[in-house]
Amino acid sequence: VAVSAPVNNPANGILDKVETCDLTIMAAQGGSGPTRWLLGSVTSRVAHGATKPVMVITANAVECPAKLANIMV
């Protein structure tokens, strides 16, 4: 297990690491309305900017049946 904490722009830091993984799993915080529009969503930016698969989970997430070697959570 490797831990990395991006500084400044979290979405860009995560996108840099996404390329080394088979799958990135991120949690959706559930923000909405003006707050989400003004601040943006790191999960949304990563999901739309990644060239590798990104799984967005919520509190009701289900099991992933895929067999993957490198997963970033």
Side-chain angles (χ1 to χ4, degrees):
V1 173
V3 177
S4 177
V7 180
N8 295 329
N9 186 329
N12 287 344
I14 294 168
L15 284 168
D16 289 343
K17 298 290 184 182
V18 164
E19 300 308 314
T20 65
C21 300
D22 295 324
L23 173 67
T24 299
I25 302 171
M26 298 186 72
Q29 192 170 20
S32 63
T35 303
R36 184 170 187 260
W37 181 76
L38 289 172
L39 299 176
S41 166
V42 172
T43 301
S44 178
R45 290 179 188 170
V46 172
H48 288 96
T51 59
K52 300 275 185 100
V54 176
M55 177 187 288
V56 179
I57 60 171
T58 63
N60 299 324
V62 295
E63 194 174 311
C64 176
K67 294 182 181 181
L68 305 165
N70 298 306
I71 301 173
M72 181 170 75
V73 178

